Amino acid sequence: MKKFTLSIVALLLAMSIMAQSTSKDSLLLSKVQRGDKVTERYLVRNADNGTSEFDMLYPINNSTLQSSFSTNADAIAALDRFVEQAADTTMHITKVVVVGYASPDGVESKNMALANARAASVATFVTKQCPKSNVETKAMTYHWADCIPTVEGMNLPDKSQVIAILNSTTHSELEKQAELEKLQNAWIIFKNTILPPMRHSELNVAYSNDKIVERIYTIPKPQPKPQASTQTVAQTKPQTEEKRYPVAVVETDETGIIVEVPEKEHRHRRKNR
């Protein structure tokens, strides 16, 4: 089984990153100008983030990863394709976590050891496929109460009694198993249907993808400079206003020519006559 989830960084965020050519998260690959159109190609690092999940199953009381068991062949084939894709593309694996699980039947301490061994088996397999991978392992054991959601969705014999046992707070895990085994028809379904998927290892791979994107923009045309005015303003020197005097009319000779003179000059002339 393979679960795949991919979330994409918003386009506006990617464009914001691209616009900063000095950013450590983006790299300008090329810049081509045709007329007033400019096309820039950027490599945007870690533009997409996602996770892939691969599930490996095990026989009861077994921690060896068997490619031929149950659906393991499909899961391993999907993992191989994922590893090949990561090697041939701009994908970067950022984290690998393997969680080993054990079903609730049996002694809990042994189940925890079994879960650890199952996680280790997948970690060893992944390390062989990807030697540079840093694989983190964890282990978990299921409890009988973890079976309740599955039981509630099934047409199970003695269903109400089974749920009461699974919900019991007065029984230990081993005592719950003993009570369930008494319900033979229900126990058969537990052994064949409910418990087997709980014996598994879950491989979670977190990764990021680089993307090559284009940014196209138009260079604005330069605005024409304002033209200097062709009209010149005449620079005239301010003239000192002439002091005006009252005038007098006199007859200067027999020709009868009349002239205007300032009053001051007129008085001066009469005085000298």
Side-chain angles (χ1 to χ4, degrees):
M1 293 183 290
K2 178 184 178 183
K3 299 176 183 178
F4 182 80
T5 305
L6 180 62
S7 59
I8 301 178
V9 174
L11 178 60
L12 290 178
L13 178 59
M15 293 298 292
S16 174
I17 294 175
M18 289 189 300
Q20 303 173 15
S21 58
T22 58
S23 171
K24 65 179 180 180
D25 296 324
S26 62
L27 176 64
L28 178 63
L29 300 177
S30 64
K31 183 175 182 178
V32 178
Q33 180 176 347
R34 292 184 176 89
D36 61 349
K37 297 288 185 181
V38 178
T39 301
E40 295 177 343
R41 297 178 72 247
Y42 285 85
L43 174 66
V44 183
R45 297 187 177 92
N46 303 320
D48 297 339
N49 298 310
T51 59
S52 286
E53 182 181 304
F54 307 89
D55 209 41
M56 315 293 183
L57 298 174
Y58 299 85
I60 188 171
N61 295 323
N62 191 297
S63 61
T64 302
L65 182 59
Q66 302 175 21
S67 60
S68 59
F69 180 74
S70 188
T71 58
N72 285 352
D74 293 337
I76 292 174
L79 178 59
D80 288 340
R81 290 192 297 270
F82 179 84
V83 171
E84 183 179 353
Q85 180 185 8
D88 293 342
T89 64
T90 55
M91 178 186 293
H92 310 290
I93 295 176
T94 56
K95 190 173 183 180
V96 180
V97 179
V98 181
V99 185
Y101 293 88
S103 56
D105 50 320
V107 180
E108 186 172 4
S109 59
K110 292 183 178 180
N111 288 345
M112 180 59 72
L114 191 61
N116 272 302
R118 287 170 176 169
S121 68
V122 175
T124 300
F125 176 79
V126 172
T127 303
K128 289 180 180 178
Q129 298 292 99
C130 305
K132 295 182 180 180
S133 298
N134 185 16
V135 183
E136 178 184 352
T137 60
K138 299 179 181 180
M140 296 182 65
T141 60
Y142 288 104
H143 295 86
W144 286 109
D146 295 322
C147 300
I148 293 175
T150 303
V151 170
E152 288 178 337
M154 298 179 65
N155 185 16
L156 191 72
D158 303 310
K159 184 174 180 177
S160 59
Q161 191 174 352
V162 168
I163 292 177
I165 294 171
L166 298 176
N167 273 322
S168 175
T169 58
T170 59
H171 292 75
S172 67
E173 293 296 292
L174 286 176
E175 288 172 342
K176 288 182 180 181
Q177 180 175 339
E179 291 298 316
L180 290 171
E181 288 176 347
K182 294 177 182 178
L183 305 173
Q184 294 183 2
N185 293 331
W187 183 246
I188 292 174
I189 295 176
F190 266 89
K191 289 195 302 180
N192 296 332
T193 306
I194 299 176
L195 297 179
M198 293 181 165
R199 303 168 186 138
H200 69 118
S201 285
E202 189 177 87
L203 170 61
N204 294 283
V205 183
Y207 62 89
S208 63
N209 277 320
D210 295 346
K211 291 185 70 176
I212 295 177
V213 294
E214 287 187 348
R215 175 173 177 252
I216 303 174
Y217 59 93
T218 302
I219 300 176
K221 295 181 179 180
Q223 297 295 324
K225 294 182 179 180
Q227 297 292 330
S229 176
T230 57
Q231 296 180 353
T232 58
V233 179
Q235 300 294 326
T236 58
K237 187 175 181 180
Q239 297 180 354
T240 304
E241 183 177 353
E242 182 183 355
K243 187 174 182 180
R244 294 183 176 273
Y245 297 95
V247 296
V249 177
V250 296
E251 295 180 1
T252 59
D253 52 32
E254 295 180 354
T255 62
I257 298 176
I258 301 174
V259 297
E260 292 183 351
V261 296
E263 184 180 9
K264 182 178 181 182
E265 184 179 349
H266 173 64
R267 287 198 302 266
H268 178 72
R269 287 183 179 184
R270 293 187 63 181
K271 185 177 180 180
N272 293 331
R273 289 182 65 177

